[in-house]
Protein backbone atom coordinates (compact mmCIF):
# COMPACT_ATOMS: atom_id res chain seq x y z
CA UNK A 1 0.00 0.00 0.00
CA UNK A 2 1.39 3.44 -0.90
CA UNK A 3 1.68 6.04 1.84
CA UNK A 4 -0.99 8.23 0.22
CA UNK A 5 -3.61 5.47 0.60
CA UNK A 6 -3.01 4.94 4.34
CA UNK A 7 -6.23 5.04 6.37
CA UNK A 8 -5.86 7.51 9.23
CA UNK A 9 -7.93 5.27 11.53
CA UNK A 10 -5.40 2.43 11.17
CA UNK A 11 -1.90 2.32 12.62
CA UNK A 12 0.53 3.62 10.05
CA UNK A 13 3.86 5.37 9.65
CA UNK A 14 5.54 7.83 7.33
CA UNK A 15 9.13 8.70 6.59
CA UNK A 16 10.41 12.09 7.71
CA UNK A 17 13.68 13.00 5.99
CA UNK A 18 15.20 15.30 8.61
CA UNK A 19 17.83 16.70 6.22
CA UNK A 20 15.22 18.02 3.76
CA UNK A 21 12.04 18.21 5.86
CA UNK A 22 10.12 16.07 3.34
CA UNK A 23 7.35 14.04 5.04
CA UNK A 24 6.48 11.04 2.87
CA UNK A 25 3.07 10.50 1.28
CA UNK A 26 1.70 13.93 2.09
CA UNK A 27 0.05 16.80 0.22
CA UNK A 28 2.52 19.53 -0.76
CA UNK A 29 1.34 23.10 -0.33
CA UNK A 30 3.55 25.93 -1.62
CA UNK A 31 3.37 29.57 -0.63
CA UNK A 32 4.93 32.16 -2.91
CA UNK A 33 5.19 35.92 -2.44
CA UNK A 34 2.06 36.37 -4.58
CA UNK A 35 0.12 34.30 -2.02
CA UNK A 36 0.98 36.72 0.80
CA UNK A 37 2.01 40.16 -0.56
CA UNK A 38 0.31 42.17 2.18
CA UNK A 39 2.03 40.31 5.01
CA UNK A 40 5.33 42.14 4.49
CA UNK A 41 6.20 45.56 5.88
CA UNK A 42 8.10 46.96 2.88
CA UNK A 43 5.54 47.16 0.07
CA UNK A 44 8.06 48.70 -2.38
CA UNK A 45 10.21 45.60 -2.00
CA UNK A 46 7.14 43.38 -2.44
CA UNK A 47 6.36 45.11 -5.76
CA UNK A 48 9.98 44.79 -6.88
CA UNK A 49 10.01 41.04 -6.16
CA UNK A 50 6.55 40.03 -7.44
CA UNK A 51 7.68 39.32 -11.02
CA UNK A 52 10.27 36.87 -9.70
CA UNK A 53 7.65 35.62 -7.19
CA UNK A 54 10.00 33.67 -4.89
CA UNK A 55 8.93 30.47 -3.16
CA UNK A 56 8.64 31.39 0.55
CA UNK A 57 7.67 28.07 2.15
CA UNK A 58 6.42 24.53 1.60
CA UNK A 59 4.13 22.45 3.81
CA UNK A 60 4.03 18.63 3.64
CA UNK A 61 0.64 17.97 5.21
CA UNK A 62 -0.37 14.47 6.37
CA UNK A 63 -3.97 13.68 5.33
CA UNK A 64 -5.46 13.26 8.82
CA UNK A 65 -9.15 14.11 9.43
CA UNK A 66 -9.72 17.35 11.37
CA UNK A 67 -11.86 15.48 13.89
CA UNK A 68 -11.95 14.88 17.66
CA UNK A 69 -9.29 12.45 18.85
CA UNK A 70 -7.01 12.78 15.84
CA UNK A 71 -3.62 14.54 15.80
CA UNK A 72 -2.83 16.46 12.63
CA UNK A 73 0.83 16.74 11.67
CA UNK A 74 3.00 18.15 8.94
CA UNK A 75 6.43 19.53 8.16
CA UNK A 76 7.17 23.06 7.01
CA UNK A 77 10.26 24.14 5.08
CA UNK A 78 10.85 27.91 4.92
CA UNK A 79 13.32 29.03 2.27
CA UNK A 80 16.12 31.52 3.14
CA UNK A 81 15.62 35.10 2.02
CA UNK A 82 14.19 38.52 2.80
CA UNK A 83 11.67 40.99 1.45
CA UNK A 84 13.46 44.27 2.17
CA UNK A 85 14.79 43.83 5.73
CA UNK A 86 12.11 41.29 6.70
CA UNK A 87 12.96 37.61 6.65
CA UNK A 88 10.89 34.99 4.81
CA UNK A 89 8.12 33.73 7.11
CA UNK A 90 4.88 31.80 7.29
CA UNK A 91 1.54 33.62 7.19
CA UNK A 92 0.81 32.73 10.81
CA UNK A 93 -2.56 31.97 12.33
CA UNK A 94 -4.71 31.39 15.38
CA UNK A 95 -6.32 28.02 15.82
CA UNK A 96 -10.08 28.36 15.42
CA UNK A 97 -10.55 26.42 18.66
CA UNK A 98 -7.82 27.44 21.12
CA UNK A 99 -5.47 24.45 21.15
CA UNK A 100 -1.77 23.95 21.75
CA UNK A 101 0.79 22.83 19.19
CA UNK A 102 4.33 21.41 19.36
CA UNK A 103 7.06 22.22 16.83
CA UNK A 104 10.27 20.18 16.54
CA UNK A 105 12.94 22.01 14.54
CA UNK A 106 14.89 19.79 12.15
CA UNK A 107 17.27 22.18 10.41
CA UNK A 108 18.23 25.84 10.16
CA UNK A 109 17.64 28.78 12.46
CA UNK A 110 15.01 31.40 13.02
CA UNK A 111 12.34 32.76 15.31
CA UNK A 112 8.96 31.50 16.40
CA UNK A 113 6.79 34.59 16.95
CA UNK A 114 3.66 34.23 19.07
CA UNK A 115 0.89 36.53 20.25
CA UNK A 116 -1.86 35.92 22.79
CA UNK A 117 -5.44 37.00 22.21
CA UNK A 118 -4.89 40.00 24.52
CA UNK A 119 -2.03 41.24 22.32
CA UNK A 120 0.99 40.05 24.32
CA UNK A 121 3.80 39.16 21.91
CA UNK A 122 6.68 36.73 22.53
CA UNK A 123 9.44 35.33 20.35
CA UNK A 124 11.71 32.30 20.70
CA UNK A 125 15.03 31.92 18.89
CA UNK A 126 14.94 28.38 17.48
CA UNK A 127 17.37 26.10 15.66
CA UNK A 128 17.92 22.45 14.84
CA UNK A 129 16.87 20.39 17.89
CA UNK A 130 14.55 23.01 19.46
CA UNK A 131 11.18 21.73 20.65
CA UNK A 132 8.78 24.66 21.00
CA UNK A 133 5.44 24.62 22.82
CA UNK A 134 2.73 26.97 21.55
CA UNK A 135 0.09 27.33 24.30
CA UNK A 136 -3.66 27.48 23.55
CA UNK A 137 -4.76 30.94 22.41
CA UNK A 138 -1.37 32.04 21.03
CA UNK A 139 -1.18 32.88 17.32
CA UNK A 140 2.07 31.66 15.78
CA UNK A 141 4.37 32.44 12.85
CA UNK A 142 7.79 30.99 12.01
CA UNK A 143 10.58 33.08 10.47
CA UNK A 144 13.76 31.85 8.76
CA UNK A 145 16.76 34.04 9.65
CA UNK A 146 19.43 31.61 8.45
CA UNK A 147 21.36 31.07 5.21
CA UNK A 148 19.69 27.71 4.49
CA UNK A 149 16.23 26.15 4.82
CA UNK A 150 14.42 26.23 8.18
CA UNK A 151 12.50 22.96 8.62
CA UNK A 152 10.23 21.81 11.42
CA UNK A 153 7.73 19.10 12.26
CA UNK A 154 4.42 20.16 13.86
CA UNK A 155 1.67 18.27 15.73
CA UNK A 156 -1.69 19.75 16.80
CA UNK A 157 -5.18 18.49 17.74
CA UNK A 158 -7.45 17.60 14.83
CA UNK A 159 -10.25 19.81 16.17
CA UNK A 160 -8.09 22.98 16.28
CA UNK A 161 -8.70 24.31 12.75
CA UNK A 162 -6.97 27.42 11.37
CA UNK A 163 -8.00 31.08 11.40
CA UNK A 164 -5.84 33.37 9.27
CA UNK A 165 -8.11 36.42 9.18
CA UNK A 166 -6.97 38.37 12.24
CA UNK A 167 -3.26 37.98 11.50
CA UNK A 168 -3.79 38.87 7.84
CA UNK A 169 -5.59 42.03 8.92
CA UNK A 170 -3.44 43.14 11.88
CA UNK A 171 -0.16 41.20 11.76
CA UNK A 172 1.84 40.28 14.85
CA UNK A 173 3.18 42.64 17.51
CA UNK A 174 6.71 41.65 16.48
CA UNK A 175 8.43 41.62 13.09
CA UNK A 176 11.73 39.84 12.49
CA UNK A 177 14.11 42.15 10.65
CA UNK A 178 17.76 42.23 9.64
CA UNK A 179 19.62 44.86 11.68
CA UNK A 180 23.27 45.86 11.99
CA UNK A 181 23.37 43.60 15.09
CA UNK A 182 21.86 40.67 13.18
CA UNK A 183 18.28 39.33 13.02
CA UNK A 184 15.99 40.86 15.67
CA UNK A 185 12.33 40.50 16.63
CA UNK A 186 11.24 44.14 16.91
CA UNK A 187 7.97 45.80 17.98
CA UNK A 188 5.74 46.19 14.93
CA UNK A 189 2.99 48.38 16.32
CA UNK A 190 3.02 51.50 18.44
CA UNK A 191 1.83 50.96 21.97
CA UNK A 192 2.03 47.17 21.84
CA UNK A 193 4.79 44.87 22.99
C1 LIG B 1 1.90 24.74 11.02
C2 LIG B 1 1.65 25.80 9.93
C3 LIG B 1 2.70 25.82 8.83
C4 LIG B 1 2.44 26.92 7.79
O1 LIG B 1 1.83 23.46 10.50
O2 LIG B 1 0.36 25.60 9.39
O3 LIG B 1 3.96 26.05 9.40
O4 LIG B 1 2.13 28.14 8.37
P1 LIG B 1 0.74 28.86 8.07
O5 LIG B 1 -0.34 27.82 8.31
O6 LIG B 1 0.66 29.97 9.04
O7 LIG B 1 0.74 29.29 6.64
C5 LIG B 1 0.85 24.96 12.09
O8 LIG B 1 1.02 25.82 12.91
N1 LIG B 1 -0.26 24.21 12.05
O9 LIG B 1 -1.24 24.38 12.94
ZN1 LIG C 1 -0.86 26.10 14.13
Amino acid sequence: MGETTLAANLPHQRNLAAATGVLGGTRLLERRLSDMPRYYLDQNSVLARLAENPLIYQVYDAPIPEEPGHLCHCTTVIKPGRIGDEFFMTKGHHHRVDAAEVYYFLQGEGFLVMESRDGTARSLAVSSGSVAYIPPGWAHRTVNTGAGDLGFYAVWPGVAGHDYASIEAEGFGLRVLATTEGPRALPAREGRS
Side-chain angles (χ1 to χ4, degrees), residues 51-168:
E52 167 208 347
N53 200 15
L55 175 64
I56 309 284
Y57 61 103
Q58 298 167 305
V59 178
Y60 296 88
D61 189 26
I64 304 291
E66 295 187 312
E67 292 173 3
H70 281 287
L71 288 174
C72 291
H73 56 130
C74 74
T75 54
T76 304
V77 178
I78 309 176
K79 309 311 283 184
R82 284 177 4 210
I83 302 296
D85 290 335
E86 192 166 19
F87 291 96
F88 283 9
M89 60 188 180
T90 60
K91 288 183 170 184
H93 57 265
H94 269 288
H95 291 158
R96 246 184 300 112
V97 176
D98 284 349
E101 180 159 3
V102 171
Y103 283 2
Y104 172 51
F105 287 84
L106 305 164
Q107 53 178 213
E109 53 197 31
F111 284 87
L112 173 55
V113 175
M114 291 170 277
E115 185 164 325
S116 67
R117 292 204 182 268
D118 70 6
T120 304
R122 290 279 185 280
S123 69
L124 298 174
V126 293
S127 58
S128 172
S130 301
V131 177
Y133 186 76
I134 301 162
W138 288 72
H140 38 287
R141 161 182 288 163
T142 316
V143 185
N144 183 358
T145 59
D149 290 354
L150 174 64
F152 61 95
Y153 174 67
V155 183
W156 68 97
V159 292
H162 293 87
D163 169 18
Y164 290 91
S166 62
I167 295 300
E168 184 171 13

